Amino acid sequence: MSTPIVETGEIPYSVKIEAKSPMPSPSNRTRILVADDQADVREALRLLLKSEGFETETVASPAAVLAALDTREFDSILIDLNYARDTTSGQEGLDLLSNIRAKDGAVPIIVMTAWGSLELAVEAMRRGAKDFVQKQWENNRLLAILKTQIELAHAIRRSQRLEAENRLLRADGRPTLIAESPAMRPVIELIARVGPSDANVLITGDHGTGKDVVARTLHALSPRSGRPLVTVNAGGLPEGIFESELFGHVKGAFTDAKTDRVGRFELADSGTLFLDEIANVPMNLQAKLLRALETGELERVGSSTTRRVDVRILSATNADISTEVRAGKFREDLLFRLNTIEIHVPPLRERKEDIPLLALHFLRSSAQRYRKNLAGFEPVALQLMLDHPWPGNVRELDHSVERAVLLAEGEQVRASDLGLRVSRDTALRLDDMGLEDVERVLIQKALARFGGNVSHASKALGLSRSALYRRLQKYNL
Ligand SMILES: Nc1ncnc2c1ncn2[C@@H]1O[C@H](COP(=O)(O)OP(=O)(O)OP(=O)(O)O)[C@@H](O)[C@H]1O
Ligand SMILES: [Mg+2]
């Protein structure tokens, strides 16, 4: 059995792992260009960014920004709007913004404006700046903005690459499994290791975590990939039907058996059989299933002819199957047959790092389906998704994004399009929350409701715009 080692880049084609984390835990490779004509501002920013592990280059003039862009790539650019020639109108900065955009349409630009010049900030955003900070900035807010923007830009770049790969993958029916978070690393490693083998694999995890995707990926990685992957869902089928579904029947085996029927086991011969919701297999069928797994032999219902099959068994459950075993509802010997290897897929809330990329992936496929021209998510929307607990896991994220794509009116999905309510968890914890936590949640809710529109949100909260801005800075929102 070949064992591709993920870390060395021998990555199976359908498993995508990125060397870089999508949450820019600022690595040395994350490079920021800072432009300001005041030496003390440049130095303060250089020290701040260095302390966060960013690689920083500082320049003093618009011309130097353009020259730097000709020689290197940057992950983000932070520019002042006013330079020596004209220190108040911001025109030099706005022109610089347009010039940078002409050279590089994707790099996130953040502008620094004088306190109180919101109109200038709005004009800068109109010309393609991603966000702004007012001087004197608050370090935490500046860093949060930078990280969000870099993260978004990275996610967009990755998803463009993914889309290209997906086109290839879709062509021959291979699944897409997005998994870059530390929590998914063991999952990916196991998939890479056991995918190509014949080992039976039990996939566990909550609803919507991606068990089907894992099963399809395992099959796609195996030498059986040219043969069928046959799925049987053990939930929801009456016992009698389930048996003939699995093993087939012969004409006359029971009243409704008008013709012979080939069961899923035989259909999967030389391929893979995926037994979904395995905990629901009725007790008396568990014995028959065990025998088929042990011997590779089975009889169709109503027949005594023994048939041999060669199948690899993948199974999945969201139940805690050892509890079922202890309760006498699931045979331990069958479990031992099924779980030669067990892969546990963690809930989405334990791998938040995957959310931006998954969300963009779903955004792109929904946008294509509904013919919408959408570039991505507004930062507030992304933050809302990162904060949501996702009880329905990846499927819930998929559905929320699909809904948002349908509702979105601009070029970006707004927080209000996502239809995410503050979780019941949060509501229940209200009693234990401090005043500041409550204020933070209320502000988040108001921003979400008004799609990040500060004027509307401040009105709804009964605050002035500047009071809300102060709180946004304070809470790092
Ligand atoms: N890591 C992932 N990358 C890309 N898409 C994913 C990933 N995980 C899940 N999905 C998508 O999310 C949806 C739900 O996943 P899936 O059906 O595999 O979940 P499940 O664990 O089998 O759920 P259930 O327990 O309800 O059967 C599917 O559309 C799937 O394609
Ligand atoms: Mg499933």
Side-chain angles (χ1 to χ4, degrees):
M1 164 184 141
S2 74
T3 51
I5 304 300
V6 171
E7 289 87 343
T8 60
E10 285 177 52
I11 297 163
Y13 48 77
S14 59
V15 180
K16 290 175 213 72
I17 304 150
E18 299 284 334
K20 271 196 200 170
S21 153
M23 300 294 272
S25 53
S27 74
N28 287 336
R29 273 173 290 153
T30 306
R31 201 185 294 143
I32 298 174
L33 179 61
V34 174
D36 198 299
D37 58 340
Q38 287 171 268
D40 52 342
V41 172
R42 290 198 301 274
E43 187 55 14
L45 285 169
R46 196 184 63 76
L47 289 174
L48 171 69
L49 298 175
K50 187 172 169 227
S51 74
E52 287 290 309
F54 291 111
E55 196 181 295
T56 311
E57 192 168 323
T58 58
V59 292
S61 69
V65 171
L66 299 176
L69 284 180
D70 282 338
T71 55
R72 276 173 298 285
E73 252 196 328
F74 293 91
D75 294 282
S76 182
I77 305 179
L78 184 59
I79 61 168
D80 187 22
L81 285 183
N82 295 308
Y83 292 85
R85 247 195 297 143
D86 157 14
T87 51
T88 51
S89 77
Q91 194 53 47
E92 270 187 285
L94 292 176
D95 290 346
L96 171 60
L97 202 65
S98 306
N99 289 334
I100 299 175
R101 272 283 160 263
K103 273 184 189 295
D104 183 337
V107 64
I109 307 168
I110 291 146
V111 297
M112 293 182 279
T113 59
W115 183 255
S117 54
L118 269 180
E119 286 69 25
L120 207 54
V122 170
E123 176 60 18
M125 308 267 283
R126 211 179 58 75
R127 295 201 189 190
K130 289 290 182 205
D131 213 331
F132 67 95
V133 283
Q134 298 194 315
K135 282 179 166 176
Q136 289 291 324
W137 63 85
E138 250 190 55
N139 286 349
N140 284 343
R141 176 161 160 75
L142 173 62
L143 290 171
I145 289 176
L146 265 175
K147 286 178 188 173
T148 307
Q149 290 304 335
I150 291 171
E151 178 186 319
L152 271 170
H154 285 179
I156 288 168
R157 214 180 308 148
R158 269 194 303 271
S159 93
Q160 282 164 346
R161 204 165 51 217
L162 241 175
E163 196 180 38
E165 285 174 26
N166 280 352
R167 244 176 276 130
L168 276 179
L169 295 181
R170 253 182 259 120
D172 47 12
R174 286 170 193 158
T176 302
L177 178 68
I178 295 168
E180 299 186 350
S181 54
M184 283 298 276
R185 195 142 272 276
V187 174
I188 293 295
E189 285 177 8
L190 265 179
I191 292 175
R193 223 161 266 149
V194 304
S197 76
D198 257 349
N200 290 349
V201 183
L202 174 67
I203 307 158
T204 59
D206 290 350
H207 275 299
T209 44
K211 298 184 294 295
D212 277 56
V213 188
V214 169
R216 282 186 277 127
T217 307
L218 287 167
H219 173 70
L221 289 176
S222 75
R224 295 170 181 264
S225 62
R227 305 288 304 166
L229 169 69
V230 177
T231 300
V232 195
N233 191 322
L237 280 180
E239 198 172 317
I241 299 193
F242 183 52
E243 184 175 4
S244 88
E245 192 71 24
L246 263 187
F247 301 116
H249 61 241
V250 291
K251 187 177 166 185
F254 45 88
T255 333
D256 288 338
K258 304 271 188 273
T259 54
D260 284 7
R261 174 166 191 212
V262 181
R264 301 287 168 116
F265 251 102
E266 284 180 72
L267 285 175
D269 194 17
S270 75
T272 305
L273 183 65
F274 177 37
L275 302 170
D276 204 0
E277 305 202 27
I278 187 77
N280 294 330
V281 176
M283 206 59 186
N284 74 326
L285 266 184
Q286 290 180 18
K288 289 189 184 167
L289 185 56
L290 177 64
R291 177 176 162 254
L293 297 187
E294 278 176 339
T295 61
E297 290 177 353
L298 57 91
E299 288 92 35
R300 291 184 184 175
V301 177
S303 157
S304 54
T305 312
T306 301
R307 296 162 197 270
R308 281 205 67 81
V309 285
D310 162 31
V311 291
R312 179 199 195 176
I313 305 286
L314 303 177
S315 49
T317 181
N318 46 44
D320 178 358
I321 205 148
S322 15
T323 308
E324 303 284 301
V325 168
R326 276 195 299 278
K329 291 187 188 145
F330 202 88
R331 292 180 67 123
E332 190 168 37
D333 46 9
L334 177 58
L335 177 60
F336 288 156
R337 272 283 149 189
L338 295 170
N339 73 351
T340 313
I341 302 288
E342 180 171 334
I343 297 183
H344 178 71
V345 191
L348 187 54
R349 63 178 176 279
E350 286 175 17
R351 43 178 159 130
K352 287 187 182 294
E353 298 89 342
D354 288 338
I355 289 176
L357 199 52
L358 279 166
L360 263 168
H361 170 65
F362 295 135
L363 178 124
R364 279 162 196 280
S365 65
S366 289
Q368 198 176 26
R369 192 170 334 132
Y370 299 117
R371 296 179 198 286
K372 288 260 196 150
N373 202 6
L374 279 167
F377 297 89
E378 282 193 345
V380 196
L382 188 74
Q383 194 57 51
L384 199 67
M385 289 190 289
L386 288 170
D387 290 342
H388 189 70
W390 300 111
N393 294 298
V394 185
R395 182 178 295 113
E396 186 191 357
L397 176 64
D398 186 1
H399 290 168
S400 295
V401 171
E402 178 174 1
R403 173 181 184 278
V405 165
L406 277 168
L407 293 180
E409 283 170 340
E411 276 189 5
Q412 292 194 316
V413 167
R414 292 147 51 124
S416 55
D417 299 330
L418 286 164
L420 294 178
R421 256 157 279 133
V422 171
S423 75
R424 221 181 306 145
D425 273 5
T426 316
L428 284 176
R429 280 192 282 108
L430 211 56
D431 285 348
D432 314 326
M433 288 164 81
L435 206 54
E436 293 203 340
D437 295 332
V438 175
E439 188 173 75
R440 186 177 207 279
V441 169
L442 288 179
I443 291 174
Q444 277 177 321
K445 278 178 70 166
L447 282 173
R449 187 143 42 98
F450 297 106
N453 183 313
V454 173
S455 298
H456 291 168
S458 60
K459 217 169 274 164
L461 290 163
L463 292 171
S464 69
R465 262 160 55 100
S466 58
L468 179 53
Y469 269 119
R470 270 198 305 280
R471 283 170 175 78
L472 293 181
Q473 290 194 338
K474 176 172 161 194
Y475 296 126
N476 220 347
L477 292 171

